[in-house]
C-alpha cells in the first residue's frame, strides 16, 4: 500500500500518461493525487485503516541512499525518496529530521549551511553503513513499484469515484443543501456503502 509516514495515502500514476502517470507520480522489508497530481493523492486522509508503515529505524537507510550521490536538504531528501518509490512512499518531516539528527550524531552525515538551509552529505561511515543495507533499500523500492504496477488503471478509476463522492458532498454543503434531513440521508448512504464494501473485502 502507498502511505506516507503519517499514514496518508499516496498513489501511483496512471499508465499511458507521460510514462508513470498524470502529474508527477506513479511495503517491503521496512513494513509494509491532490487529484490533478498523482491520480489519487488527494485521497490522503480519507482512509483510516492503514497498512504497515515503513519502520522508523529503517528510514535511515532510505535517507542515506537519498544523499549518497549528492548532498540535499531535508525536503529534497523527502522528495527524492518519494520520486524513487514512484510516489509510493514519502516520509514526513517528523521522521526525516530526527533521523538526520541521529545520523549526524553517529557521524554518518555531515551538515553544512547553504542559503539558510541545512544541507546533508553522506560521510565515509555513512557510506559503509548504507552499503551493508543496500539490498534492503533496493528491495524496498522494488516492492514499492511492483505492488501497484499491474493495478494502476484500476486504482485511478477508484480515485475518480472517490473524487466524485467528495465533490458531490462538498458542493451540496456549499450550496446550503445539506439540511438536517439530507445529512441524515447522506449518512445512511455512506454507512450502507461502507458496510457493503467491508463485507465484499472481507470475502477476499
Amino acid at each position: 500500500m502507498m502511505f506516507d509516514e503519517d499514514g496518508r495515502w499516496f498513489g501511483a500514476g496512471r499508465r499511458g500518461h507521460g510514462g508513470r502517470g498524470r502529474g508527477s507520480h506513479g511495503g517491503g522489508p521496512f513494513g509494509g493525487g491532490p487529484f490533478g497530481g498523482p491520480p489519487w493523492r488527494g485521497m490522503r486522509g480519507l482512509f483510516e485503516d492503514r497498512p504497515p508503515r515503513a519502520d522508523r529505524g529503517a528510514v535511515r537507510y532510505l535517507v542515506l541512499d537519498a544523499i549518497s550521490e549528492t548532498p540535499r536538504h531535508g525536503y529534497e531528501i523527502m522528495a527524492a525518496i518519494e520520486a524513487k518509490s514512484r510516489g509510493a512512499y514519502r516520509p514526513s518531516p517528523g521522521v526525516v529530521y530526527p533521523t538526520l539528527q541521529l545520523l549526524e550524531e553517529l557521524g554518518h552525515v555531515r551538515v553544512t549551511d547553504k542559503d539558510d538551509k541545512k544541507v546533508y552529505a553522506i560521510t565515509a561511515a555513512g557510506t559503509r553503513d548504507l552499503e551493508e543495507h543496500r539490498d534492503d533499500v533496493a528491495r524496498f523500492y522494488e516492492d514499492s513499484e511492483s505492488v501497484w504496477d499491474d493495478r494502476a488503471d484500476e486504482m485511478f478509476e477508484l480515485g475518480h469515484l472517490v473524487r466524485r463522492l467528495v465533490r458531490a458532498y462538498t458542493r451540496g454543503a456549499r450550496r446550503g443543501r445539506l439540511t438536517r434531513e439530507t445529512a441524515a440521508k447522506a449518512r445512511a448512504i455512506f454507512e450502507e456503502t461502507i458496510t457493503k464494501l467491508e463485507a465484499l473485502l472481507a470475502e477476499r
Side-chain angles (χ1 to χ4, degrees), residues 135-155:
D135 289 345
D136 290 336
V137 172
R139 195 177 306 116
F140 174 82
Y141 286 124
E142 288 171 3
D143 289 350
S144 296
E145 179 179 353
S146 63
V147 165
W148 295 103
D149 269 359
D150 60 347
R151 300 176 61 193
D153 288 342
E154 174 187 345
M155 294 308 299

Side-chain angles (χ1 to χ4, degrees), residues 1-19:
M1 289 291 182
M2 303 182 178
F3 288 77
D4 67 12
E5 192 64 27
D6 293 323
R8 295 168 177 166
W9 191 358
F10 283 76
R14 187 179 187 180
R15 296 181 194 175
H17 298 276

Side-chain angles (χ1 to χ4, degrees), residues 70-91:
T70 183
R72 304 179 191 270
H73 60 70
Y75 278 89
E76 288 176 334
I77 293 171
M78 296 176 218
I81 294 172
E82 181 180 19
K84 195 164 183 177
S85 68
R86 303 194 179 189
Y89 176 68
R90 181 185 177 100

Side-chain angles (χ1 to χ4, degrees), residues 20-82:
R20 289 299 306 176
R22 295 184 181 182
S24 59
H25 297 266
F30 301 124
F35 294 97
W40 48 86
R41 188 170 176 179
M43 294 165 68
R44 62 170 60 184
L46 294 179
F47 297 85
E48 294 301 326
D49 292 326
R50 303 170 183 135
R53 302 179 297 185
D55 181 79
R56 286 174 181 256
V59 172
R60 60 190 281 185
Y61 305 116
L62 301 184
V63 170
L64 288 173
D65 177 67
I67 61 174
S68 61
E69 295 184 359
T70 183
R72 304 179 191 270
H73 60 70
Y75 278 89
E76 288 176 334
I77 293 171
M78 296 176 218
I81 294 172
E82 181 180 19

Side-chain angles (χ1 to χ4, degrees), residues 35 42-43 46-47 156-174 178 185-194 197:
F35 294 97
M43 294 165 68
L46 294 179
F47 297 85
F156 176 86
E157 297 303 332
L158 175 61
H160 179 66
L161 291 174
V162 174
R163 178 186 179 186
R164 286 179 56 195
L165 175 75
V166 175
R167 180 184 293 169
Y169 188 85
T170 55
R171 182 188 294 128
R174 284 198 304 268
L178 198 61
K185 290 180 179 179
R187 181 185 180 89
I189 292 172
F190 290 157
E191 289 180 343
E192 180 182 2
T193 302
I194 291 169
L197 281 173

